[in-house]
Amino acid sequence: LQLDFWLAPRSPGYPVDVRVPFPSLQPLKAHLEANGVFYSIMIEDVQALVDHEQTEMLRSSRRQLPLSTNTFDYATYHSLDEIYTFMDLLVAENPNLVSKLEIGRSTENRPLYVLKFSKGGTNRPAIWIDTGIHSREWVTQASGVWFAKKIVLDHENDKGLASILDKMDIFLEIVVNPDGFVFTQTQNRMWRKTRSRHPGSTCVGVDPNRNWDAGFGGPGASRNPCSETYHGPYANSEPEVKAIVDFVKNHGNIKAFVSIHSYSQLLFYPYGYTSTPVPDQKELDQISKKAVAALSSLYGTNYKYGSIITTIYQASGGTIDWTYNQGIKYSFTFELRDTGRYGFLLPAKEIVPTAQETWLALKVIMLHARDHPY
Amino acid sequence: DIDDVGHKYHLELVLEDVLDKDSTVNCTAEVLYHLGNKNIAPAVQFTIEGELKNTDEADNIFYSRIKSLEKELVAENIPDSHGSVSPEMEPIRLLAQVASGYVIWQNSTENTKFQLAQIKHVKQVKRSDDCLEFDYMILLHEMVSQEIIPWQMTVLWHPQHGVQVTQDSCQPKHALE
């Protein structure tokens, strides 16, 4: 019968565990029943369990750094080292399109990297996309990685993207908050803020999305260092924020700015710090409507849109309020999947669908920016 | 607005079965947030059009499985960092979602929006009667403040008697570390 005993027979009264090859199942059952021997099934299908374990092990043993962006697993969450390695690989594989810039250092002295996608020119009008400003929002960094690869894959064959890159550059910062990100992987999966320390408090970190110089310190942020929405001692106190501020000011030609968060499935335009509507409200609202429709068209994912303050809550010192006030008209923030069932702990299998649908919305924004120079 | 009483909301909503997106049920509800004493849970009245799905079979399978465990169930981090939930833990998570719904209701105001973020720890408690009892430590995510709030809740369940939260208490933030 080829029975494989996992708990060997001992003596009467002691149970026995046995793995039974499929063809032997019936004969064995018949034999046991005929002899009044009680049995129960512990595992229905051993092979299925083994297969499952294999895939799980491959996932976790793939903790060797990636070797190429073609074998990189986009459907799983990665460490900071893996993401930084991915960036270098992408640049090495596409030196004529992609370059990596270091725009500053985090509180814990980690490099802050931005990928630049450019087909040439000098200081072309540009689109900025960032992910991972809040470290626990893992689907965003993972989507950022996917976007980077997508740009490389499509930059010639996709008419829309090709035409965008003919006129504009794309800047992508995948991990805005690397200190926070590492902390979510080593200590506390729910960490949101940076990891800066402040005299007078044992609490760590500033909310990087309350630290920008737009309504800074006003209602919609906290002055308690222990709070998740602590705005920090002063605007741009966080090196992660200052680096982007300096970059944007020095570049001087950014035309669209998209900052990506999760979760809630929302698309926002400014303002968050005040209920005064932005002058370009009508246009931004129309773009949002189109972007959300494009996003939905792929998997039916529902998004709402509007200004930050009317759609979610008052929030001061936010990224896109500052960028809009700098003159970057097309300033948007996304809150990606889901709406709370998994929240920050979005299953890895949703990474790629989320990135795919979001990309369609991003393209709407980028195409609009391309077609409406200012 | 109801002067001196509070704010009343009339809602028309669609309930969707988390396990079967095509299974929906219309619902109307009235929610009254009390002025003044914020420590009272909002009053809720609702009617459901039609019936909720029968889950007897799945309930009984889960119940038998837990009852036949040799040692009390213990688990942590559901879902894990990557959003994974093992099949055996799925009912434990669903139970937590239902029970946390009660906790959230009891602690909601017009300015809060709570979600269950994660089960940090769950421990089955032995009982002499037929009910299953679980001691959960959960994390609630409050959307407006963005805070993650650890919360302890003791949950009773029986296929015929439904879910009961017999005890719950907010925990200090450091309960996380």
Side-chain angles (χ1 to χ4, degrees):
Chain A
L1 283 182
Q2 306 242 355
L3 300 181
D4 173 17
F5 287 88
W6 286 8
L7 227 194
R10 241 164 104 181
S11 50
Y14 287 91
V16 142
D17 292 348
V18 54
R19 178 184 65 81
V20 186
F22 190 71
S24 304
L25 253 185
Q26 264 313 103
L28 180 64
K29 278 186 177 176
H31 178 82
L32 292 173
E33 280 159 28
N35 287 278
V37 179
F38 173 77
Y39 67 89
S40 67
I41 299 170
M42 296 170 78
I43 303 173
E44 284 272 356
D45 182 346
V46 174
Q47 188 63 53
L49 217 55
V50 168
D51 292 341
H52 178 79
E53 189 186 46
Q54 269 283 66
T55 29
E56 287 309 305
M57 280 174 62
L58 271 173
R59 274 192 202 295
S60 50
S61 82
R62 196 74 62 67
R63 278 337 33 159
Q64 302 156 358
L65 295 173
L67 296 174
S68 103
T69 66
N70 290 324
T71 56
F72 190 85
D73 187 353
Y74 295 90
T76 185
Y77 293 108
H78 289 275
S79 68
L80 187 68
D81 288 341
E82 287 165 359
I83 295 177
Y84 278 14
T85 301
F86 164 84
M87 291 181 198
D88 289 336
L89 288 172
L90 197 70
V91 169
E93 292 163 13
N94 306 277
N96 294 327
L97 178 67
V98 197
S99 54
K100 184 178 87 170
L101 314 168
E102 184 174 322
I103 62 167
R105 295 241 149 186
S106 68
T107 291
E108 292 173 350
N109 206 33
R110 294 187 171 84
L112 303 167
Y113 291 131
V114 172
L115 291 177
K116 175 183 181 184
F117 299 85
S118 178
K119 294 216 284 214
T122 315
N123 200 237
R124 283 183 172 172
I127 295 153
W128 167 283
I129 301 169
D130 68 66
T131 52
I133 186 169
H134 287 140
S135 39
R136 62 190 181 198
E137 299 167 8
W138 278 19
V139 71
T140 70
Q141 298 95 336
S143 294
V145 167
W146 188 91
F147 297 150
K149 180 61 172 173
K150 183 68 169 163
I151 296 171
V152 158
L153 284 173
D154 281 10
H155 75 280
E156 283 173 334
N157 57 59
D158 179 277
K159 272 196 359 214
L161 185 63
S163 70
I164 291 166
L165 285 167
D166 280 338
K167 299 217 179 98
M168 305 177 81
D169 294 339
I170 300 175
F171 291 99
L172 174 62
E173 186 176 1
I174 298 175
V175 191
V176 170
N177 179 6
D179 295 349
F181 190 56
V182 170
F183 200 73
T184 60
Q185 305 211 318
T186 55
Q187 303 267 34
N188 181 353
R189 175 64 178 81
M190 296 293 173
W191 191 260
R192 164 186 170 91
K193 301 187 286 183
T194 60
R195 293 292 303 163
S196 55
R197 277 156 216 278
H198 308 279
S201 179
T202 48
C203 289
V204 176
V206 165
D207 184 343
N209 199 23
R210 300 290 188 280
N211 189 240
W212 300 72
D213 199 359
F216 178 82
S222 172
R223 52 193 186 90
N224 178 352
C226 300
S227 164
E228 295 281 28
T229 53
Y230 174 49
H231 49 55
Y234 51 88
N236 305 330
S237 62
E238 302 312 286
E240 296 84 354
V241 170
K242 179 109 189 355
I244 301 174
V245 167
D246 290 345
F247 179 85
V248 167
K249 283 180 162 171
N250 291 335
H251 186 282
N253 209 14
I254 296 183
K255 298 300 175 188
F257 192 104
V258 182
S259 193
I260 301 184
H261 292 252
S262 78
Y263 60 92
S264 284
Q265 293 175 201
L266 299 164
L267 173 54
F268 303 120
Y269 47 82
Y271 286 123
Y273 75 96
T274 170
S275 47
T276 306
V278 289
D280 301 293
Q281 151 111 342
K282 221 165 150 225
E283 187 185 358
L284 296 183
D285 198 79
Q286 280 164 354
I287 298 170
S288 301
K289 186 171 181 198
K290 233 181 132 199
V292 155
L295 187 153
S296 269
S297 70
L298 198 54
Y299 297 109
T301 307
N302 282 321
Y303 265 63
K304 296 199 185 41
Y305 60 92
S307 71
I308 297 170
I309 197 170
T310 59
T311 311
I312 193 171
Y313 44 57
Q314 184 175 28
S316 61
T319 310
I320 63 168
D321 287 359
W322 180 81
T323 58
Y324 183 84
N325 285 346
Q326 287 297 298
I328 302 175
K329 186 166 36 152
Y330 302 123
S331 288
F332 293 93
T333 283
F334 280 81
E335 292 275 358
L336 303 185
R337 290 194 194 181
D338 60 12
T339 52
R341 183 166 177 216
Y342 286 91
F344 300 121
L345 306 180
L346 195 71
K349 61 175 157 50
E350 293 204 40
I351 294 171
V352 172
T354 301
Q356 288 173 327
E357 65 191 12
T358 307
W359 183 246
L360 297 180
L362 286 173
K363 281 216 294 190
V364 166
I365 295 170
M366 295 195 288
L367 286 167
H368 189 96
R370 178 203 69 185
D371 294 339
H372 298 81
Y374 60 93
Chain B
D1 274 356
I2 304 180
D3 284 340
D4 296 338
V5 177
H7 297 144
K8 192 180 230 189
Y9 294 82
H10 177 82
L11 303 167
E12 283 171 22
L13 49 144
V14 179
L15 301 180
E16 181 187 271
D17 186 336
V18 143
L19 300 176
D20 176 9
K21 297 248 152 115
D22 295 327
S23 175
T24 61
V25 143
N26 291 332
C27 176
T28 54
E30 276 188 356
V31 179
L32 172 63
Y33 289 100
H34 303 279
L35 262 181
N37 193 349
K38 301 283 178 198
N39 289 329
I40 311 177
V44 180
Q45 293 193 313
F46 66 93
T47 41
I48 297 184
E49 231 178 85
E51 278 173 14
L52 296 177
K53 212 160 66 158
N54 181 297
T55 57
D56 288 351
E57 200 189 325
D59 288 349
N60 288 325
I61 292 175
F62 172 59
Y63 182 76
S64 311
R65 179 161 70 83
I66 303 295
K67 272 291 183 190
S68 66
L69 289 176
E70 277 180 16
K71 270 179 34 178
E72 282 77 45
L73 181 146
V74 172
E76 40 183 44
N77 292 332
I78 300 165
D80 67 14
S81 284
H82 295 223
S84 296
V85 179
S86 69
E88 310 86 67
M89 287 303 144
E90 191 58 40
I92 296 284
R93 188 176 80 96
L94 292 170
L95 183 61
Q97 292 198 296
V98 173
S100 66
Y102 170 80
V103 172
I104 288 170
W105 166 39
Q106 293 295 302
N107 291 277
S108 287
T109 71
E110 280 169 287
N111 300 310
T112 59
K113 185 171 164 150
F114 287 101
Q115 303 275 21
L116 172 64
Q118 191 182 36
I119 299 166
K120 276 314 274 179
H121 190 81
V122 59
K123 188 180 71 192
Q124 183 187 359
V125 176
K126 209 165 168 163
R127 281 183 76 85
S128 49
D129 63 14
D130 269 348
C131 285
L132 299 182
E133 179 176 335
F134 298 96
D135 185 11
Y136 283 92
M137 180 66 81
I138 58 173
L139 296 180
L140 291 179
H141 172 224
E142 201 291 295
M143 193 65 79
V144 178
S145 63
Q146 287 296 330
E147 296 294 333
I148 301 284
I149 307 162
W151 211 288
Q152 180 274 330
M153 57 181 193
T154 304
V155 181
L156 253 47
W157 180 73
H158 182 279
Q160 270 94 61
H161 309 324
V163 181
Q164 238 194 309
V165 176
T166 55
Q167 199 223 347
D168 71 274
S169 61
C170 182
Q171 300 294 306
K173 233 172 156 186
H174 315 292
L176 275 181
E177 313 293 320

